[in-house]
Amino acid sequence: MSFVYVANADAQDISVFRLAFDGALRTCATVTAQSPPQTGRSMLLCLNPDRRFLYAAFLSGGTQFAAATFAIDADSGVLSLMGTMALADTMAYMATDRSGRYLLCASYYGNRVTVNAIGTDGRVGALLQSIATEPKAHCILADVSNRHVLYTSLGGDLVYQQRFDAGTGHLSPHEPPAVSMRPKSGPRFLALSPDGRFVYVNGELDGSISVYPFERATGTLQPRIQTVSLLPTGFTGRAWAADLRMTPNGEYLYASERTSSTLSAFAVDRVSGLLRPVGSVASVQQPRALAIDPEGRYLIAAGQLSNSIMSYAIVPGTGALRALSEYPVGRNPTWIEITGRGFAAAGSIATPMRP
């Protein structure tokens, strides 16, 4: 079964849908993360590697952030709260390492990244490390070998490159410890090719995507080989790029842009790593979060101002996006995760807002 989880920041809850083989979504449940909600920051989600646990991070009072651990029922998609752990700061991004033993977080407002332990039972545990960054840390990911970690500083125009000890969860700097990005590009999110050979960085402030070869042995970025625009043709105004996601097979890359409310698609040359624009499509209002199902058949975008999600089919052979349906969710959706390795049978499908 495949299930879609949408974090609604202002409602502080999670909308749960079942994904059918034809891309239709069935409403399953709405799960409260905390009550009464504490609004004012994004709500984050991430899955552990075997998709048995969902982690949700949210403002739990004042400026305190917390991460809740939910067990996922593989048959029904139902979430069961296992516990909540305070985090060191308000967070803009979180992901587990490749083993699922550590939770990696980036704090935009706190200008730091952190590492928390994850217990053998799947629960988020104690803080292990906190590292100061240049302003506005925004994304953190472990590479495919789980021996290196990369993270961004939007305000410093940097991507940090660190050694990662998967036995202890400890981060330590490579040489050089960081790589400068394009000036005033505002590096926001990272996407890694499945074979670990290339890193893609979107610029929130200039609407760009830059391509870097990644030296897997040393864990360091090599000189940039390409920069493309993710902005739609004829764009005017201030760029405000958001999410960046690659299909599981590494064939296509997708980016969201909030000012124009568009999604851009790119075909990826898996030998050279270079991008070829496929085109842009209109999306829900202010699309922030994207997610792609584990089979690489569907993409879902969340509109922060539309309070809805839009599903798209990924056209085989081209990577173009074909709009399917729009569905209502809670207020201010800021993150999406999709679990499972199969699809639900069609039937009992949620009523879409529009096709």
Side-chain angles (χ1 to χ4, degrees), residues 327-350:
Y327 301 87
V329 291
R331 298 189 309 276
N332 189 16
T334 55
W335 210 271
I336 310 171
E337 292 289 343
I338 306 177
T339 188
R341 298 189 180 277
F343 294 96
S348 302
I349 299 302

Side-chain angles (χ1 to χ4, degrees), residues 41-321:
R41 291 287 187 269
S42 299
M43 186 175 175
L44 313 178
L45 300 176
C46 76
L47 293 163
N48 78 318
D50 65 9
R51 295 180 166 91
R52 293 174 54 216
F53 303 104
L54 179 76
Y55 303 108
F58 45 81
L59 194 68
S60 61
T63 59
Q64 179 64 58
F65 231 56
T69 302
F70 290 94
I72 300 172
D73 184 282
D75 295 323
S76 67
V78 168
L79 299 176
S80 300
L81 179 63
M82 298 173 62
T84 302
M85 172 61 70
L87 296 177
D89 220 315
T90 57
M91 300 300 176
Y93 198 101
M94 68 176 182
T96 71
D97 76 315
R98 300 281 175 158
S99 73
R101 295 178 57 197
Y102 304 99
L103 185 69
L104 312 175
C105 297
S107 176
Y108 181 94
Y109 292 100
N111 308 320
R112 59 172 157 175
V113 296
T114 62
V115 181
N116 280 69
I118 295 177
T120 56
D121 61 356
R123 288 181 171 88
V124 176
L127 176 69
L128 300 177
Q129 190 175 16
S130 176
I131 301 172
T133 69
E134 290 298 308
K136 301 177 180 178
H138 218 322
C139 180
I140 182 167
L141 289 174
D143 83 319
V144 296
S145 74
N146 212 37
R147 296 186 296 114
H148 313 288
V149 163
L150 301 173
Y151 50 90
T152 62
S153 162
L154 187 149
D157 287 322
L158 296 171
V159 172
Y160 290 89
Q161 38 197 29
Q162 301 264 302
R163 298 180 185 88
F164 179 62
D165 185 329
T168 64
H170 184 74
L171 294 171
S172 59
H174 277 302
E175 181 55 44
V179 174
S180 295
M181 300 289 105
R182 288 156 49 88
K184 298 182 180 180
S185 61
R188 178 181 170 92
F189 280 7
L190 305 166
L192 281 60
S193 63
D195 62 7
R197 296 176 54 233
F198 300 99
V199 174
Y200 301 85
V201 187
N202 66 339
E204 178 177 320
L205 305 182
D206 68 356
S208 66
I209 302 176
S210 294
V211 185
Y212 293 84
F214 184 68
E215 178 53 59
R216 290 173 291 183
T218 62
T220 55
L221 300 179
Q222 303 306 295
R224 184 178 69 245
I225 59 174
Q226 186 185 28
T227 298
V228 298
S229 175
L230 59 81
L231 301 173
T233 302
F235 176 87
T236 59
R238 180 177 67 89
W240 198 19
D243 213 338
L244 189 67
R245 299 287 165 173
M246 181 169 280
T247 53
N249 62 9
E251 289 187 349
Y252 304 110
L253 183 72
Y254 299 92
S256 58
E257 203 287 319
R258 288 170 284 187
T259 299
S260 60
S261 293
T262 57
L263 309 181
S264 295
F266 299 86
V268 181
D269 185 309
R270 288 186 286 179
V271 175
S272 69
L274 298 177
L275 301 176
R276 176 178 57 81
V278 172
S280 298
V281 296
S283 189
V284 282
Q285 190 176 7
Q286 197 170 299
R288 173 169 171 163
L290 303 178
I292 298 171
D293 77 275
E295 302 292 329
R297 292 166 51 94
Y298 300 106
L299 178 145
I300 298 175
Q304 284 188 275
L305 297 184
S306 65
N307 298 323
S308 64
I309 57 174
M310 176 73 83
S311 61
Y312 299 83
I314 297 174
V315 179
T318 70
L321 295 175

